[in-house]
Amino acid sequence: MTLLPRLKSKDNCRWDAVALGEVMLRLDPGEGRIRTARQFQVWEGGGEYNVARGLAKTFGLRSAVVTALPRNDLGALVHELILQGGVSDAHILWREADPVGRDNRVGLNFTERGFGPRGALGVSDRAHSAASALRPDEVDWDALFGEEGVRWFHTGGIFSALSESTAETALAAVTAARRHGTIVSYDLNYRASLWAAHPDPEAGRRVNRAIAEQVDVLIGDEYSLAACLGIETPERRSNPCDPAPFAAAAERLMGQLPNLRLLASPLRDPVTASMNRWGACAWANGALTVRAPVEVAILDRVGGGDGFVSGLAFGLMDNRSLDEALALGVTHGALAMTTPGDNAMTSLDEVEALARGGSAAARR
């Protein structure tokens, strides 16, 4: 049985993958702490964008991002980093920048990597960003999904939570994508701090439910399913990587969302900030598929989940089995966490070799 029968041929589409979301500047103090830093390394990143970047840079697919940036030097820096990541700028909306940053800003994300007993730490400075003001009528969705053609569209709960207008934009985008036969994936990526800013306390569940009804592939564990969709189960994990509660929640959810073909989630046990047990599970066609967790040494954990999503999406677009697609997702996510920044610095050959059981021996 074909898991995604609606998947379009690449010959009929300009884009293999398009992501909708905010692209921020990530300021990384390296081995140090934010509170005592004297210098930061700069990366671009964003939960939704990272998926498009992984599909472009690692897997060689034609990717674009729908986002907004200000016309100033910070916007120019993000733009340059996007292009270096192999992602097209064809659908970036440019805003006039406020001279003192009262609106149309570039969002900033200060992130510590963590080490040993000291966990990773993120400090956001992203209010009033250009992307958070995106409105659904600013993008010609029918032109994007109909005239240009897109095989896979991805967005997520971080972008949806930025503002009421981004929630409306995400819903308009996934509705149009589905109408034009594009595969839609959505990462719940629940952030309580973002949804708490909405005046309606039920906004998170209402928005995520409306979007989830349109998607083919949903990413989220049982905690996200409970917070975002109200899918509560009595099962509790016997250990941090126990997939049983996920499977119980997935079985309930599949009965409520007839368009949903696949629910997937990484499995992570942060033994320390420098060593995680890392695997994944997925529910499709009434069955659970698991990639058993293995120990992974961590340099920078940020972006591991996004790397998982891009590897999974590539595998499914490449007509691999679900088990193979999960293996590519787990491996790509693991490699992303061995390098600094949000995204993997790797290749398809390296991902496939490691997914087949290759070792970390030196290659000369």
Side-chain angles (χ1 to χ4, degrees):
M1 182 183 296
T2 302
L3 184 58
L4 299 173
R6 296 193 314 120
L7 183 62
K8 294 181 176 181
S9 166
K10 63 175 61 179
D11 296 334
N12 299 324
C13 296
R14 177 180 177 184
W15 308 109
D16 294 304
V18 171
L20 167 67
E22 180 172 21
V23 187
M24 297 185 292
L25 287 175
R26 175 182 168 185
L27 302 177
D28 178 359
E31 298 175 355
R33 304 295 307 268
I34 294 169
R35 63 178 61 196
T36 55
R38 294 297 180 268
Q39 61 183 10
F40 293 91
Q41 194 163 11
V42 178
W43 313 92
E44 91 283 19
E48 298 83 11
Y49 161 80
N50 292 341
V51 174
R53 189 190 189 281
L55 287 168
K57 201 67 171 178
T58 299
F59 299 105
L61 300 189
R62 303 161 300 171
S63 298
V65 62
V66 179
T67 193
L69 293 172
R71 292 188 184 278
N72 60 18
D73 283 3
L74 290 180
L77 174 57
V78 176
H79 181 218
E80 178 65 23
L81 293 171
I82 289 171
L83 294 178
Q84 290 178 27
V87 178
S88 172
D89 62 354
H91 289 282
I92 293 177
L93 281 69
W94 289 94
R95 314 280 201 195
E96 292 306 314
D98 182 274
V100 295
R102 285 169 292 212
D103 54 31
N104 288 335
R105 303 173 56 229
V106 166
L108 304 179
N109 185 22
F110 297 82
T111 308
E112 295 178 9
R113 301 175 192 171
F115 185 81
R118 175 172 59 85
L121 172 67
V123 179
S124 293
D125 179 18
R126 63 191 303 175
H128 310 296
S129 67
S132 69
L134 270 171
R135 301 188 312 274
D137 59 353
E138 291 185 285
V139 178
D140 188 340
W141 303 111
D142 290 324
L144 174 60
F145 295 115
E147 297 171 21
E148 296 181 36
V150 180
R151 301 183 74 206
W152 191 292
F153 175 70
H154 179 75
T155 190
I158 293 178
F159 177 73
S160 298
L162 293 180
S163 66
E164 290 184 63
S165 68
T166 60
E168 294 169 356
T169 301
L171 181 57
V174 299
T175 302
R178 182 158 202 89
R179 185 169 65 248
H180 287 283
T182 296
I183 296 297
V184 180
S185 63
Y186 186 75
D187 191 339
L188 289 169
N189 240 341
Y190 179 67
R191 299 289 189 273
S193 58
L194 293 177
W195 286 111
H198 284 248
D200 178 4
E202 292 298 313
R205 287 190 177 181
R206 187 183 68 253
V207 168
N208 282 302
R209 170 66 68 163
I211 292 173
E213 289 175 353
Q214 305 287 336
V215 308
D216 302 273
V217 177
L218 188 65
I219 310 298
D221 60 16
E222 72 272 21
Y223 305 113
S224 295
L225 295 175
C228 297
L229 302 177
I231 303 297
E232 304 279 357
T233 60
E235 290 84 353
R236 294 293 178 265
R237 296 189 188 193
S238 59
N239 63 75
C241 289
D242 177 12
F246 166 88
E251 191 168 17
R252 286 193 58 196
L253 183 66
M254 287 294 192
Q256 298 180 20
L257 301 177
N259 291 319
L260 187 62
R261 303 303 299 267
L262 172 66
L263 177 67
S265 176
L267 295 170
R268 184 197 292 270
D269 177 8
V271 180
T272 71
S274 310
M275 179 65 70
N276 289 187
R277 294 176 64 232
W278 173 255
C281 54
W283 184 273
N285 296 326
L288 178 69
T289 301
V290 178
R291 296 295 298 187
V294 297
E295 288 191 344
V296 175
I298 306 295
L299 177 67
D300 181 351
R301 67 166 279 163
V302 178
D306 304 327
F308 164 74
V309 176
S310 56
L312 175 69
F314 170 78
L316 296 175
M317 280 192 277
D318 200 46
N319 295 314
R320 311 286 183 100
S321 69
L322 177 55
D323 186 64
E324 288 179 292
L326 273 183
L328 291 173
V330 169
T331 305
H332 189 238
L335 287 170
M337 295 186 290
T338 67
T339 54
D342 283 22
N343 292 283
M345 302 174 186
T346 185
S347 66
L348 175 57
D349 287 345
E350 190 174 41
V351 172
E352 289 189 315
L354 192 57
R356 289 193 299 266
S359 74
R363 290 172 293 172
R364 296 183 175 91

